[in-house]
Amino acid sequence: MTDSALDLGEPPQPERADAYQVLARKYRPQTFSQLIGQDAMVTTLANAIKRDRLAHAFLLTGVRGVGKTSTARLIAKALNCVGPDGEGGPTIDPCGVCEPCRAIAEGRHIDVIEMDAASHTGIDDVREIIEGSRYAAVSARYKIYIIDEVHMLSKPAFNGLLKTLEEPPAHVKFLFATTEVNKVPVTVLSRCQRFDLRRISADQLAEHFAGVVEKEGVDAEPEALALIARAAEGSARDGLSILDQAIAHAGMEGGGVRAGAVRDMLGLSDRGAIRELFGLLLGGDAEGALKALRRQYDYGVDPQAVLKTLLETVHGATLAKVGTPPEAAQSTEEREALQHWGTLLSFPMLHRLWQLLLKGHEEVSRAALPIEACEMALLRVVHAATLPDPGDLAKRLAEGGEGLSRPQQVGAPAPSGATAELQQPQPEVVPLPGDVRALWKLLGDHGRNELQAQVRNHLRPIRFEPPELEISALRPLPADFARDLGNELRAITDTNWKITTANAPGEPSLREREKQDDDDFKAQVRADPVVSAAFEAFPDAAIDWEKTKRSM
């Protein structure tokens, strides 16, 4: 038997399944019409292309996942598209079928060079770009350099790029993308046409996700898509990644994408349970509120997520109070509850709730015992709900004190239909100071001693019309003085202050006035005939100024 008779050939190989492509890559926009939420930028680019007023460098900035890199690739396609017949020019609607469009979309075009500045930060990397930019494009209309996360370039790298960036060859275009535009040198910013890509609204994201699940053949509840859109925080990529996870979770459950499953997957608190908790807080039911919180905690909900949803509830009630239209993603129950709370709660109470919950959220985020810190934060809210209303208290005192034992209460509905009652505490009314000295005293009375000292030493008023204040910006005024003073005065007086600075001398500070008054006093004393005569008789005599001031 020969060897060839024993040769059975290679064993059959199983067919290789196509690699799964995540939704964020699969549905990356291939045309400007697919780029959601950036209409203003698309319009500007379309006009620039139509009028042949193309900048030599573009800077795209925005939060993660809004489409900066995708936009850069679309601009590269728009500038290099030749159309199906090979005779076209730059267009805002690239055909997607010509060789430049297909090569750019597939990341293989020799004249479109992408570089990640996070891993190529040095001057040597930039030197390669400078050298390469001198040569004409091989097959495209423009040689295009796309530099992602450009803010991570080193200072020498930025300096090396400046001259080429200011006067690049006519065949070269630069496209920069960054999430931290504040770290890009001003010298670079001034040489680029800047586009700020906006966060994508939750409504637009939910609509986009609905189209994606339809194409994927997946059943999804609108509320589930709304939850994913909210969790994405304006980022299409983040939202598609969450949607990918939700679809996989739905496959394990054997059903579609459901709101309850998404809520569990994201660790979000149930909004119905939060409305019940909010009603208990407003009603001053400490025991019930803590039990409701523990139920959420036992279900695996993070305490910080509970406080975040409570903050969203206060914000929603405030928007309902000012008449803002409700969000489309809100359920009927949530919309009715927010409108009821917005009608019955006063603005001071809403502001107080916001501040208390916000402080609690910050404490829980850094607490060693998160659930305990959350409980203490909710107890503070309950305590605030039982405080008397200062305005109502003053009114009743003026009327002779009748009914002081029963402060006024406001209904706060829980989801079950029960009505909780709420006392309406309002912050104590602090009169606005009438002059700088009154302002200085107000800060001291409320324990702002360091800021009080700065007011005495540095504040030179130009215009004093509370709550508006214009002060001199001349040194030695601290850099953050106006901001810090405005924040503290807002906290003390419950009034928004507008404090501006100007490069004018202004009136003297309190310290300068005191010194001037002291000098005037001493001059007046020395000019007194008796004192003059005493110094003539006793030239080495000295005046005890403290005793002199006390005696006069």
Side-chain angles (χ1 to χ4, degrees), residues 148-427:
D148 200 10
E149 300 302 338
V150 69
H151 66 274
M152 301 191 75
L153 288 178
S154 64
K155 185 176 181 180
F158 273 124
N159 292 337
L161 189 61
L162 284 180
K163 189 60 179 177
T164 303
L165 187 60
E166 184 172 19
E167 298 178 358
H171 61 270
V172 173
K173 301 290 183 185
F174 289 98
L175 303 177
F176 301 141
T178 178
T179 53
E180 300 184 50
V181 70
N182 58 301
K183 294 184 179 180
V184 179
V186 177
T187 50
V188 173
L189 293 176
S190 65
R191 290 166 168 82
C192 299
Q193 190 171 99
R194 174 174 168 176
F195 290 105
D196 291 85
L197 276 66
R198 301 172 56 186
R199 288 181 184 269
I200 307 169
S201 69
D203 292 342
Q204 288 177 310
L205 285 176
E207 183 180 354
H208 178 57
F209 298 156
V212 169
V213 295
E214 183 179 356
K215 293 174 184 176
E216 292 291 309
V218 176
D219 180 41
E221 291 180 349
E223 185 181 355
L225 298 180
L227 287 171
I228 294 173
R230 285 180 179 175
E233 296 182 341
S235 169
R237 184 176 62 230
D238 288 7
L240 288 172
S241 298
I242 298 172
L243 180 60
D244 230 339
Q245 184 181 356
I247 292 174
H249 184 77
M252 295 173 60
E253 297 289 332
V257 179
R258 300 289 177 256
V262 170
R263 192 175 286 112
D264 292 340
M265 183 187 76
L266 296 175
L268 298 175
S269 53
D270 180 79
R271 301 190 81 83
I274 289 297
R275 291 196 297 276
E276 180 183 4
L277 173 58
F278 191 63
L280 294 169
L281 292 173
L282 296 182
D285 187 349
E287 182 180 0
L290 294 184
K291 287 181 178 179
L293 173 63
R294 281 289 177 173
R295 282 197 299 270
Q296 292 285 295
Y297 185 68
D298 292 340
Y299 289 148
V301 179
D302 181 49
Q304 198 170 358
V306 172
L307 289 171
K308 179 180 178 183
T309 314
L310 285 171
L311 281 166
E312 291 174 352
T313 303
V314 175
H315 180 252
T318 307
L319 293 182
K321 187 172 185 66
V322 299
T324 303
E327 295 182 13
Q330 288 178 351
S331 65
T332 303
E333 296 80 4
E334 183 177 8
R335 187 178 300 116
E336 291 177 352
L338 293 178
Q339 289 175 347
H340 185 78
W341 285 322
T343 301
L344 296 182
L345 297 178
S346 65
F347 278 117
M349 184 59 191
L350 288 168
H351 295 326
R352 174 177 288 189
L353 286 169
W354 176 265
Q355 293 297 332
L356 289 170
L357 291 170
L358 187 62
K359 179 179 177 59
H361 186 273
E362 294 172 354
E363 290 175 350
V364 171
S365 66
R366 59 177 184 268
L369 303 171
I371 183 62
E372 288 79 2
C374 187
E375 288 178 336
M376 296 302 293
L378 295 189
L379 287 174
R380 276 203 305 267
V381 176
V382 170
H383 175 68
T386 60
L387 290 176
D389 178 359
D392 184 60
L393 182 62
K395 180 179 178 182
R396 292 175 187 176
L397 283 171
E399 295 173 352
E402 183 180 355
L404 288 179
S405 61
R406 294 197 305 268
Q408 184 181 359
Q409 295 181 332
V410 176
S416 61
T419 300
E421 291 187 334
L422 166 70
Q423 301 160 355
Q424 281 193 93
Q426 295 181 359

Side-chain angles (χ1 to χ4, degrees), residues 454 458-460 471-482 501-502:
Q454 291 180 335
H458 306 306
L459 191 147
R460 297 184 179 91
I471 60 178
S472 172
L474 302 182
R475 292 182 178 182
L477 187 73
D480 297 331
F481 176 77
T501 59

Side-chain angles (χ1 to χ4, degrees), residues 22-57:
V22 296
L23 297 181
R25 292 187 60 191
K26 186 176 181 180
Y27 292 98
R28 172 171 277 173
Q30 298 300 319
T31 63
F32 282 105
S33 61
Q34 297 175 0
L35 190 68
I36 58 176
Q38 312 301 340
D39 296 340
M41 181 200 66
V42 174
T43 300
T44 303
L45 280 173
N47 292 335
I49 292 174
K50 187 184 302 182
R51 299 172 184 173
D52 194 22
R53 298 180 63 88
L54 292 168
H56 58 271

